[in-house]
Amino acid sequence: MIDFLHLYCFMYITLFLHEFGHAFMCFIFKKNIKHIKIGDIVILKISKYKLGLLPLNGYVAFSYYELKKHQQLCIYLIGPIITFILLIVFINEEFIKYNNIIILQLVSQLFLSFFGDNSDIKNALNNKTN
């Protein structure tokens, strides 16, 4: 049971760091964040923040108007960059028991960042937000 909780926490942490990257860049560029969702099947909603039961996806909704193209690219691309860095760390280190599951989650997160219906890369290229 403890192993499952550790794995669950690591999955949430990696998803949180990906979404935190988007939110942090919005903060840097002084953009108002409409809301942040981390996880599916929302079980907790506090102000702008939604926390889901399953650590599978998330998003940061913001107004991209009045942002320069390079600022939009920075906001959208920082999440996949953080995920890629985490992937390299987890591939090179065996510090948790179920390392392969975390790696699989990070790879799927990267895949969805590039090829998902509302992917970070598609949004960056099309100037769209959630």
Side-chain angles (χ1 to χ4, degrees):
M1 183 65 172
I2 297 297
D3 290 337
F4 173 76
L5 290 176
H6 285 149
L7 178 63
Y8 189 77
C9 289
F10 269 106
M11 290 175 77
Y12 253 107
I13 290 168
T14 60
L15 182 59
F16 171 80
L17 291 172
H18 176 103
E19 298 306 331
F20 176 78
H22 296 304
F24 182 72
M25 292 307 291
C26 286
F27 175 77
I28 293 292
F29 295 127
K30 298 180 172 101
K31 291 308 296 177
N32 186 31
I33 295 172
K34 295 177 185 175
H35 58 274
I36 299 173
K37 178 182 165 242
I38 298 176
D40 281 333
I41 309 174
V42 175
I43 57 172
L44 181 63
K45 184 177 178 181
I46 302 172
S47 182
K48 297 179 181 182
Y49 311 101
K50 297 176 186 178
L51 184 65
L53 185 62
L54 303 174
L56 300 176
N57 69 11
Y59 63 86
V60 175
F62 64 97
S63 176
Y64 62 89
Y65 300 108
E66 300 175 9
L67 279 174
K68 296 176 182 166
K69 183 70 174 173
H70 76 277
Q71 293 172 324
Q72 293 174 19
L73 285 172
C74 286
I75 291 171
Y76 286 122
L77 296 179
I78 192 67
I81 290 169
I82 289 172
T83 301
F84 184 74
I85 292 168
L86 288 170
L87 181 60
I88 291 170
V89 168
F90 279 95
I91 284 174
N92 290 323
E93 296 293 330
E94 298 269 343
F95 54 88
I96 62 169
K97 190 172 183 179
Y98 298 104
N99 201 33
N100 291 336
I101 296 173
I102 299 292
I103 291 169
L104 179 62
Q105 187 224 10
L106 291 169
V107 168
S108 65
Q109 214 176 66
L110 270 178
F111 181 82
L112 292 174
S113 290
F114 284 92
F115 303 111
D117 288 339
N118 197 20
S119 73
D120 296 325
I121 305 305
K122 286 180 185 175
N123 287 334
L125 297 174
N126 297 325
N127 294 338
K128 291 184 181 176
T129 189
N130 293 325

